[in-house]
Amino acid sequence: MGKHSTNMRVKLPIFCLLLEAITILLFAIFVRYNDETDASEWHDRMKKHNESNADNDFYFRYASFQDVHTMIFIGFGFLMTFLKCYGFSSVAFNFLIAAFGLQWSTLIQGFFHGFHDGKIHIGIESMINADFCTGAVLISFGAVLGKTSPVQLIVMTLFEVTLFGINEFIILSILGAKDAGGSMTIHTFGAYFGLVVSRVLYRPQLEKSRAREGSIYHSDLFAMIGTIYLWMFWPSFNSAVTAHGDDQHRTVLNTYYSLAACTLATFALSSMLNGEGKLDMVHIQNAALAGGVAVGTSAEMMLTPFGAMIAGCLAGIISVLGYKFLTPVLDSKLKIQDTCGVHNLHGMPGILGALIGVIVAAAATADIYGLGMEDVFPLIYDGTRTSKSQAVYQLLALLVALAFALIGGIIVDNYISVLNVGKDNALNDVIFMRKN
Amino acid sequence: MGKHSTNMRVKLPIFCLLLEAITILLFAIFVRYNDETDASEWHDRMKKHNESNADNDFYFRYASFQDVHTMIFIGFGFLMTFLKCYGFSSVAFNFLIAAFGLQWSTLIQGFFHGFHDGKIHIGIESMINADFCTGAVLISFGAVLGKTSPVQLIVMTLFEVTLFGINEFIILSILGAKDAGGSMTIHTFGAYFGLVVSRVLYRPQLEKSRAREGSIYHSDLFAMIGTIYLWMFWPSFNSAVTAHGDDQHRTVLNTYYSLAACTLATFALSSMLNGEGKLDMVHIQNAALAGGVAVGTSAEMMLTPFGAMIAGCLAGIISVLGYKFLTPVLDSKLKIQDTCGVHNLHGMPGILGALIGVIVAAAATADIYGLGMEDVFPLIYDGTRTSKSQAVYQLLALLVALAFALIGGIIVDNYISVLNVGKDNALNDVIFMRKN
Amino acid sequence: MGKHSTNMRVKLPIFCLLLEAITILLFAIFVRYNDETDASEWHDRMKKHNESNADNDFYFRYASFQDVHTMIFIGFGFLMTFLKCYGFSSVAFNFLIAAFGLQWSTLIQGFFHGFHDGKIHIGIESMINADFCTGAVLISFGAVLGKTSPVQLIVMTLFEVTLFGINEFIILSILGAKDAGGSMTIHTFGAYFGLVVSRVLYRPQLEKSRAREGSIYHSDLFAMIGTIYLWMFWPSFNSAVTAHGDDQHRTVLNTYYSLAACTLATFALSSMLNGEGKLDMVHIQNAALAGGVAVGTSAEMMLTPFGAMIAGCLAGIISVLGYKFLTPVLDSKLKIQDTCGVHNLHGMPGILGALIGVIVAAAATADIYGLGMEDVFPLIYDGTRTSKSQAVYQLLALLVALAFALIGGIIVDNYISVLNVGKDNALNDVIFMRKN
């Protein structure tokens, strides 16, 4: 029995079953239904307040949740199937990581939010947040795709989810920054964390498998399924945890127009930069989505529709330029093999999104927001902060996200690099078997 | 003109058109819009009760309906595309059966529910129930995949839908058992019905086409589309007809965590049981879904999140073990060729789900459920039953579902086996033509 | 540098960037958030009217919107991937056209609806309407598939969206016709517009690429993804802009049963008309959807469930007959190469749908509709029109839609035919590059 089979046949089952057992134990000790989910509590509350519509909130959140869920499992899962010999790994590991990540993040995020009486109280909002956290891990997965074993991916998930929870708590609760669509907490953090981890996994022998790092005709169509689901449901992603009413409505609208504008910019740049005027499927699959990332912080704010479109255009342009000029440099100079180009889709557009958030926050006035200021910028509304100081905190939040990604990534590297990886695991679905 | 072409060119059109004509005639005689769907009735009611939110119920149900609809047509349809030469048949017959099944079950279920003044009154709930019933037929289709002509499938649908309606009426209305997600009425019934039908279709010459009973690379990716949609939307499936509020909220949450835990158990068992530690795509495609089946009866109850996760783990383990050890035995000893392994995904997990329902019902106390008891266990709430007697009825319901499946399957066998099937129909898309 | 590369490398980027810049400028000048989307306005209104549920409308519309969005991007996009060498073009150009079309139609439709104080006020309803308008353009795209460059498609979109806005305004606002699901405004207009444009693009040398106008095994499965999403979500399409309550409920139900009946008719006709009794994948992919088109005008009305099923059956039969007998004639006699058969899926069923609308409107009585008449036929309700005169206006609306399609198509032809197209662009993904 070779090292490879040991890793898969012994380590993977032990890791999965042990972690699942620990998770179940922690759930048994700490996790309880929240008041909306508990049969007794909910009916008591209904009776006390005579609330006949108490469940509307659940339904509106659940609709958003299912859209986000689709992005996590179909969107991310299929976006990465473009590699011709790595489709099973892309979809299946995406599935495994997400299934573990959402359980683990329920615990981690639960200690920061909704922890009282010594228990974590869960409901639809914790499910959305668990999916969000999982999204960050899947972005990192895109950077290391083809260079890790499933055991390493689970270890990465374990650490990254934990760091995500701390990072998000600092940004949202301590700094009081706004980041409903996660330009900073999800995209910037997930991308740079993954890129740092990718660096430690750089191995010369991987070059041999470069021939496999290509697509075949149908694998690119599968990837387009991922792209289009991400594109369509991004308005739900950015608005899933914003306040009901105008906030959610506006977030949806801004994201929709940002993505539409981004798509035209992507097609334009892609054919412009190609010697023969050809459209690059990699750009269409990825850069057209950067518009969603770029308004992740600001879509909730009074960005205006044309402001959203400008943000989308910039994101598309930056993203295509990144694929064309920056990715090859990262690989050759910095030894960072960014398999899916997450730096171009999530990294740079995430930073752009954070900076747009800084600008739009700085421009907030009582005249523009009216009573709506309370939902968007509660600390400006109650007089704790001025618009300018809110902008400073937004900028600080970006720096925190970057710091967590870089330092966290380096810490995780140590744990990941000691784990054994089957040599032929690179960009190859050899660890899967099929009926034949 | 051979027997095969006669079957397809003459029998199929006649069957389809005749059944459709009869169905339309029965709709014209019996089916009417219900009060929420009828222009005049709805407005009269709105006026009388001054109900401005009378339509909320429709929207919440419709959102669940579309998720269930996606599971039926995309989920089941693509899950079965893993066979390399049978993708068209899988998707297209799934489509045909479902389109007929939902019309027929509107009639059958309508005679048991919502029949008054000599008419069947339909609306969004009857649409959900029609999709549910169709789900049972599609599970049976998974067991007989590749061994039937479309005419046989339509005959099977006609009978199975009818039996489903009677079985469901006995379990829910006469026995007063709870089974919102259909562990018994849909999964157990559908699976064992299909397995019995599969037995009569066993033919030695089918062995010759065994070479075709395999997958190719991309067919397994198409199947993963089916898997992931079923996995994502299972919370909507289990909660589609539960009471609004905490019930639906809790059902969603329990199903979500059960599936997540099931996925880790599936990956662990799959690599553990493979000699080389490889992950089997068949397990990932199917066993990871067993967690949804296993909480079909109990997700509505106060199962607790960690209880749901234990249920999910057990289901994943049982399902992979079934694929590994039981399916070959069913084939060689009992002559049951379970093409899609529905016994492992729906049969055993369905029974497990029913038994978990028995246990959780037996543990119900007024303290745990409070006023919420009325929605979950109305007969315990109003004092008609104790928790223990409710548990006994739950067990009885399982036996009824199994009895209907086995006896019903044997009856249907007689009708199906006399119908002619083209020899080369087995696991081959020969009856489809394409543009080329 | 050949003509082809110039077209792609210079013209496409300039067109995209210039149009996007003009669009953003027009948005900056004219487009504002509406009262539900604006932070200040919404909260003022909430305060004034003490509306705690003011946002319900948004959520119900947004759920419909996401279903329609899925039909536009996944449904139409993948339905056209059946061609073996044109999958990238189908999905990617669908994506490009839709992304531009929805921005442009926000402007055009905004001048006709919601224009006050010199500004266009947008929100969720304008987003749905923008997607609807885009649907018409994508139907036309189906007729010209494989015969145009992306630059020509953008020009076509620019004109068609503009004509769509005028046509829709005349039909709905001036004639007071009802057409919630767009049998006339979307399907009839889009199909005949596309067919006229297709005629001017007829070129003898295209015949050479006929060999490429076929499918391969997996391209037909991708197309089935498109088909099934369109089929499933058509009830949402037809009901997206109808009144809440019984209207929306009834529209959903009628569309659901129409499609189910249509599917059985399609399978029956397909095998009946084939010499060997085979089922044609083209029929299943397309004709089974005609039931949604055929009730686009009337689903909102008191069509009755069996009336909807008869409409669906007729549509399926007409559509299969069209594919079998009419499409070859259009090609050989009229030089109209209808690549996707939009005449059979949208053209004829659209006219059928308009005519069913005429009949059902003529049969409207106060007894059947009660107070619900106000929502369905406001002009009959307030005494302005009789049922018979409403029916006459419905018929007039069909003629207007046909006239706009034919005359508009001819006008657009002049602009499109002068634009350069790469010769080898026909049914070939040569203008795309992939990672390999």
Side-chain angles (χ1 to χ4, degrees):
Chain A
M1 194 185 283
K3 266 192 165 182
H4 171 61
S5 348
T6 317
N7 190 27
M8 282 300 292
R9 198 179 175 191
V10 179
K11 284 190 196 164
L12 180 64
I14 289 175
F15 249 84
C16 284
L17 292 179
L18 199 68
L19 276 178
E20 188 59 50
I22 293 169
T23 306
I24 291 178
L25 193 68
L26 291 171
F27 264 67
I29 298 170
F30 290 114
V31 177
R32 297 293 176 271
Y33 296 125
N34 70 7
D35 285 1
E36 284 88 32
T37 316
D38 185 276
S40 176
E41 296 295 337
W42 190 76
H43 282 269
D44 281 356
R45 209 181 62 171
M46 287 282 284
K47 203 181 166 190
K48 205 181 297 171
H49 301 289
N50 197 23
E51 296 180 47
S52 64
N53 283 313
D55 52 354
N56 281 11
D57 184 69
F58 167 67
Y59 294 98
F60 301 156
R61 293 287 176 213
Y62 185 58
S64 302
F65 165 73
Q66 280 295 10
D67 289 353
V68 171
H69 218 40
T70 304
M71 293 173 74
I72 296 295
F73 287 88
I74 289 284
F76 282 111
F78 279 88
L79 184 60
M80 294 186 272
T81 57
F82 69 96
L83 295 168
K84 67 184 161 206
C85 309
Y86 208 65
F88 293 169
S89 302
S90 300
V91 171
F93 293 159
N94 186 88
F95 191 19
L96 176 64
I97 294 171
F100 174 61
L102 62 88
Q103 295 177 67
W104 195 247
S105 71
T106 302
L107 290 167
I108 298 296
Q109 294 189 300
F111 281 108
F112 291 112
H113 310 284
F115 189 79
H116 53 88
D117 308 332
K119 303 292 174 195
I120 294 164
H121 296 85
I122 61 172
I124 186 69
E125 291 213 28
S126 59
M127 286 167 61
I128 294 175
N129 283 321
D131 267 35
F132 270 179
C133 173
T134 299
V137 179
L138 297 176
I139 291 166
S140 305
F141 176 44
V144 302
L145 194 74
K147 285 167 278 184
T148 55
S149 70
V151 174
Q152 289 177 309
L153 290 172
I154 292 173
V155 173
M156 186 180 89
T157 305
L158 193 69
F159 281 93
E160 186 170 356
V161 164
T162 311
L163 287 165
F164 178 95
I166 302 169
N167 180 47
E168 191 195 45
F169 181 72
I170 294 173
I171 288 177
L172 302 186
S173 303
I174 297 183
L175 295 181
K178 298 293 286 190
D179 193 23
S183 290
M184 299 179 280
T185 55
I186 299 169
H187 299 288
T188 304
F189 171 76
Y192 288 96
F193 184 95
L195 291 168
V196 173
V197 174
S198 178
R199 194 164 143 68
V200 81
L201 294 171
Y202 185 85
R203 287 163 306 152
Q205 75 264 33
L206 197 76
E207 285 304 312
K208 289 177 208 153
S209 66
R210 260 299 144 97
R212 286 195 288 251
E213 201 183 323
S215 68
I216 51 168
Y217 196 77
H218 278 158
S219 63
D220 268 319
L221 275 180
F222 278 112
M224 283 302 292
I225 295 177
T227 297
I228 291 179
Y229 270 104
L230 289 169
W231 197 92
M232 292 191 303
F233 289 167
W234 216 296
S236 300
F237 189 91
N238 284 349
S239 69
V241 293
T242 58
H244 288 313
D246 67 304
D247 274 48
Q248 214 154 17
H249 203 154
R250 188 168 58 247
T251 310
V252 158
L253 197 145
N254 287 333
T255 310
Y256 173 81
Y257 287 105
S258 173
L259 285 162
C262 179
T263 303
L264 265 85
T266 297
F267 274 79
L269 267 280
S270 184
S271 63
M272 191 191 287
L273 295 178
N274 182 277
E276 303 170 74
K278 291 192 178 192
L279 291 160
D280 191 330
M281 285 305 283
V282 170
H283 301 163
I284 296 171
Q285 282 156 9
N286 292 280
L289 297 168
V293 180
V295 296
T297 302
S298 59
E300 184 188 6
M301 305 171 186
M302 288 290 285
L303 179 60
T304 74
F306 80 93
M309 289 157 82
I310 293 172
C313 274
L314 285 176
I317 292 168
I318 286 175
S319 189
V320 175
L321 290 173
Y323 274 102
K324 187 78 185 172
F325 303 111
L326 204 54
T327 298
V329 174
L330 287 181
D331 190 341
S332 61
K333 304 288 181 208
L334 297 181
K335 303 210 177 302
I336 296 173
Q337 295 159 319
D338 183 3
T339 323
C340 293
V342 301
H343 188 240
N344 311 309
L345 169 49
H346 302 280
M348 293 189 296
I351 293 175
L352 175 68
L355 296 176
I356 293 171
V358 171
I359 295 165
V360 182
T365 67
D367 190 47
I368 296 170
Y369 288 84
L371 292 169
M373 185 71 91
E374 188 171 6
D375 287 332
V376 185
F377 296 116
L379 299 175
I380 302 181
Y381 179 77
D382 69 12
T384 314
R385 285 183 187 170
T386 63
S387 300
K388 301 293 167 284
S389 63
Q390 178 67 35
V392 172
Y393 279 100
Q394 294 288 138
L395 190 61
L396 222 58
L398 172 62
L399 300 176
V400 169
L402 283 167
F404 260 81
L406 301 175
I407 297 168
I410 290 167
I411 294 170
V412 174
D413 275 350
N414 295 319
Y415 295 90
I416 283 187
S417 56
V418 297
L419 287 164
N420 174 45
V421 193
K423 273 179 194 160
D424 47 9
N425 190 21
L427 298 175
N428 198 319
D429 277 334
V430 74
I431 63 167
F432 288 87
M433 63 166 289
R434 299 174 294 113
K435 209 167 185 175
N436 55 23
Chain B
M1 193 186 283
K3 264 191 166 181
H4 171 61
S5 347
T6 316
N7 191 26
M8 283 300 292
R9 197 176 177 193
V10 179
K11 283 190 195 165
L12 181 63
I14 289 176
F15 248 85
C16 283
L17 292 179
L18 198 69
L19 276 178
E20 189 59 50
I22 293 169
T23 306
I24 291 178
L25 193 68
L26 291 170
F27 264 67
I29 299 171
F30 290 114
V31 177
R32 296 293 176 270
Y33 296 125
N34 70 8
D35 284 1
E36 284 87 33
T37 316
D38 185 274
S40 175
E41 296 294 338
W42 191 76
H43 283 268
D44 281 356
R45 210 182 60 171
M46 287 280 285
K47 203 181 165 190
K48 204 181 298 169
H49 301 290
N50 196 23
E51 297 180 46
S52 65
N53 283 312
D55 52 356
N56 281 12
D57 184 70
F58 167 65
Y59 294 99
F60 301 156
R61 295 286 177 213
Y62 186 58
S64 301
F65 165 73
Q66 280 295 11
D67 289 352
V68 172
H69 218 40
T70 303
M71 294 173 73
I72 295 296
F73 287 88
I74 289 284
F76 282 110
F78 279 88
L79 184 60
M80 293 186 273
T81 57
F82 69 97
L83 296 168
K84 66 184 163 206
C85 309
Y86 208 64
F88 293 169
S89 303
S90 300
V91 171
F93 292 159
N94 187 89
F95 191 20
L96 176 64
I97 294 170
F100 174 61
L102 63 86
Q103 295 177 67
W104 194 248
S105 71
T106 302
L107 290 167
I108 298 296
Q109 294 190 300
F111 281 110
F112 291 111
H113 311 284
F115 189 79
H116 53 89
D117 308 332
K119 302 292 174 195
I120 294 165
H121 295 84
I122 61 172
I124 187 68
E125 291 214 29
S126 58
M127 286 166 62
I128 294 175
N129 283 321
D131 266 36
F132 270 178
C133 173
T134 298
V137 180
L138 297 176
I139 291 167
S140 305
F141 176 44
V144 302
L145 193 75
K147 284 167 279 186
T148 55
S149 70
V151 174
Q152 288 177 309
L153 290 172
I154 292 173
V155 172
M156 186 180 87
T157 304
L158 193 69
F159 281 94
E160 187 171 356
V161 163
T162 310
L163 287 166
F164 178 95
I166 302 170
N167 180 47
E168 191 195 47
F169 181 72
I170 293 174
I171 288 177
L172 303 185
S173 303
I174 297 184
L175 296 181
K178 297 292 286 192
D179 194 22
S183 290
M184 300 180 280
T185 54
I186 299 168
H187 299 287
T188 305
F189 171 75
Y192 288 97
F193 185 95
L195 291 169
V196 173
V197 174
S198 178
R199 194 164 143 68
V200 81
L201 295 171
Y202 185 86
R203 288 162 307 150
Q205 75 265 32
L206 196 75
E207 284 304 311
K208 289 176 209 154
S209 67
R210 261 298 144 95
R212 286 196 288 253
E213 201 184 324
S215 69
I216 52 169
Y217 197 78
H218 278 158
S219 64
D220 268 319
L221 276 179
F222 278 112
M224 281 303 292
I225 295 177
T227 297
I228 292 179
Y229 270 105
L230 288 170
W231 197 93
M232 292 191 303
F233 290 167
W234 216 295
S236 301
F237 189 90
N238 283 348
S239 69
V241 293
T242 58
H244 287 314
D246 66 303
D247 274 47
Q248 213 154 18
H249 202 153
R250 187 168 57 247
T251 310
V252 158
L253 196 145
N254 287 332
T255 310
Y256 174 80
Y257 286 105
S258 173
L259 285 162
C262 180
T263 303
L264 265 87
T266 298
F267 274 79
L269 266 280
S270 185
S271 63
M272 190 191 287
L273 295 179
N274 182 276
E276 303 170 72
K278 292 192 178 192
L279 291 160
D280 191 331
M281 286 305 284
V282 170
H283 301 162
I284 296 171
Q285 282 156 10
N286 293 281
L289 297 168
V293 179
V295 296
T297 302
S298 59
E300 185 189 4
M301 307 172 186
M302 288 291 284
L303 179 59
T304 76
F306 80 94
M309 289 157 82
I310 292 172
C313 274
L314 285 176
I317 291 168
I318 287 174
S319 190
V320 175
L321 290 173
Y323 274 101
K324 188 77 184 174
F325 302 112
L326 205 54
T327 298
V329 174
L330 287 182
D331 190 341
S332 61
K333 303 288 180 207
L334 298 180
K335 303 211 175 301
I336 296 173
Q337 295 159 320
D338 183 3
T339 322
C340 293
V342 301
H343 188 241
N344 311 309
L345 168 49
H346 301 281
M348 293 189 295
I351 292 176
L352 174 67
L355 296 176
I356 293 171
V358 170
I359 296 166
V360 183
T365 67
D367 191 48
I368 295 171
Y369 288 83
L371 293 169
M373 186 71 92
E374 188 171 7
D375 287 332
V376 186
F377 297 115
L379 298 176
I380 301 181
Y381 180 78
D382 69 13
T384 314
R385 284 182 188 171
T386 63
S387 300
K388 302 293 166 283
S389 63
Q390 178 68 34
V392 172
Y393 280 100
Q394 293 289 137
L395 191 62
L396 222 59
L398 172 62
L399 300 177
V400 169
L402 283 168
F404 260 81
L406 300 176
I407 299 167
I410 290 167
I411 295 169
V412 174
D413 276 351
N414 296 320
Y415 294 91
I416 282 187
S417 56
V418 297
L419 286 163
N420 174 46
V421 192
K423 272 178 195 161
D424 49 8
N425 190 20
L427 297 175
N428 199 317
D429 277 335
V430 74
I431 62 167
F432 287 88
M433 65 166 287
R434 299 173 295 113
K435 208 168 184 175
N436 54 23
Chain C
M1 195 185 281
K3 264 193 165 179
H4 171 61
S5 345
T6 316
N7 190 27
M8 282 300 292
R9 196 176 176 192
V10 179
K11 283 190 195 165
L12 180 64
I14 289 176
F15 249 85
C16 283
L17 292 179
L18 199 69
L19 275 179
E20 188 59 50
I22 293 169
T23 306
I24 291 177
L25 193 67
L26 291 171
F27 263 68
I29 299 170
F30 290 114
V31 177
R32 297 293 177 270
Y33 296 126
N34 70 7
D35 285 0
E36 284 88 32
T37 315
D38 185 274
S40 176
E41 296 295 337
W42 191 76
H43 282 268
D44 281 357
R45 209 181 62 170
M46 287 282 285
K47 203 181 165 189
K48 204 181 299 169
H49 301 289
N50 195 25
E51 296 182 46
S52 65
N53 283 313
D55 51 356
N56 281 12
D57 184 69
F58 167 66
Y59 294 99
F60 301 155
R61 294 285 177 214
Y62 185 57
S64 301
F65 165 73
Q66 280 294 12
D67 288 353
V68 172
H69 218 39
T70 304
M71 293 172 74
I72 296 295
F73 287 88
I74 290 283
F76 282 111
F78 279 88
L79 184 60
M80 293 187 274
T81 58
F82 69 96
L83 295 168
K84 66 185 163 206
C85 308
Y86 208 64
F88 294 168
S89 303
S90 300
V91 171
F93 293 159
N94 187 89
F95 191 20
L96 176 64
I97 294 171
F100 174 62
L102 62 87
Q103 295 176 68
W104 194 248
S105 71
T106 302
L107 290 167
I108 298 296
Q109 294 189 300
F111 282 109
F112 292 112
H113 311 285
F115 189 78
H116 53 90
D117 307 333
K119 303 292 174 194
I120 294 164
H121 295 84
I122 62 172
I124 187 68
E125 291 212 30
S126 58
M127 287 166 62
I128 294 175
N129 283 321
D131 266 36
F132 271 177
C133 173
T134 299
V137 180
L138 297 176
I139 291 166
S140 304
F141 176 43
V144 302
L145 194 74
K147 283 167 279 186
T148 55
S149 71
V151 173
Q152 288 177 308
L153 290 172
I154 292 172
V155 173
M156 185 179 89
T157 305
L158 193 68
F159 281 93
E160 187 171 355
V161 164
T162 310
L163 287 166
F164 177 96
I166 303 169
N167 179 47
E168 191 196 47
F169 181 73
I170 293 173
I171 288 177
L172 303 186
S173 303
I174 297 183
L175 295 181
K178 298 291 287 191
D179 193 24
S183 290
M184 299 180 280
T185 54
I186 299 169
H187 299 288
T188 305
F189 171 75
Y192 288 96
F193 184 95
L195 291 169
V196 173
V197 175
S198 177
R199 194 165 143 68
V200 81
L201 294 170
Y202 186 86
R203 288 163 305 151
Q205 76 265 31
L206 196 75
E207 285 304 311
K208 290 177 208 153
S209 67
R210 259 302 144 94
R212 285 196 288 253
E213 200 184 325
S215 68
I216 51 168
Y217 196 78
H218 278 157
S219 63
D220 268 320
L221 276 179
F222 279 111
M224 281 302 292
I225 295 176
T227 297
I228 291 180
Y229 270 104
L230 289 169
W231 197 92
M232 290 192 304
F233 290 166
W234 216 295
S236 300
F237 189 91
N238 283 349
S239 69
V241 294
T242 58
H244 287 314
D246 66 303
D247 275 47
Q248 215 154 15
H249 203 154
R250 188 168 57 247
T251 310
V252 158
L253 197 146
N254 288 333
T255 310
Y256 174 81
Y257 286 105
S258 174
L259 285 162
C262 179
T263 303
L264 265 85
T266 298
F267 274 79
L269 267 279
S270 185
S271 62
M272 192 191 286
L273 295 180
N274 182 276
E276 303 170 75
K278 291 193 179 193
L279 291 159
D280 191 329
M281 285 306 284
V282 170
H283 301 163
I284 296 171
Q285 283 157 9
N286 293 280
L289 297 168
V293 179
V295 296
T297 301
S298 59
E300 184 188 6
M301 306 171 186
M302 289 290 286
L303 179 59
T304 74
F306 80 92
M309 290 158 82
I310 293 171
C313 274
L314 285 177
I317 292 167
I318 287 174
S319 189
V320 175
L321 291 173
Y323 275 102
K324 187 77 185 175
F325 302 111
L326 204 54
T327 298
V329 173
L330 287 181
D331 190 342
S332 61
K333 304 288 179 207
L334 298 180
K335 303 213 178 298
I336 296 173
Q337 294 158 320
D338 183 2
T339 323
C340 293
V342 301
H343 188 240
N344 311 308
L345 168 50
H346 302 280
M348 293 189 295
I351 293 176
L352 174 68
L355 296 177
I356 294 171
V358 170
I359 295 165
V360 182
T365 66
D367 190 47
I368 296 171
Y369 288 84
L371 292 170
M373 185 72 92
E374 189 171 5
D375 288 331
V376 185
F377 295 114
L379 298 176
I380 301 180
Y381 179 77
D382 70 12
T384 313
R385 284 183 188 170
T386 63
S387 300
K388 302 291 166 284
S389 63
Q390 179 67 34
V392 172
Y393 280 99
Q394 294 289 137
L395 190 62
L396 222 58
L398 172 62
L399 300 177
V400 170
L402 283 167
F404 261 82
L406 301 176
I407 298 166
I410 290 166
I411 294 169
V412 174
D413 275 351
N414 295 320
Y415 295 90
I416 282 187
S417 57
V418 296
L419 288 162
N420 174 44
V421 192
K423 272 177 195 162
D424 47 10
N425 190 19
L427 297 176
N428 199 317
D429 277 334
V430 75
I431 63 166
F432 288 87
M433 63 167 287
R434 299 174 296 112
K435 208 169 185 174
N436 54 25

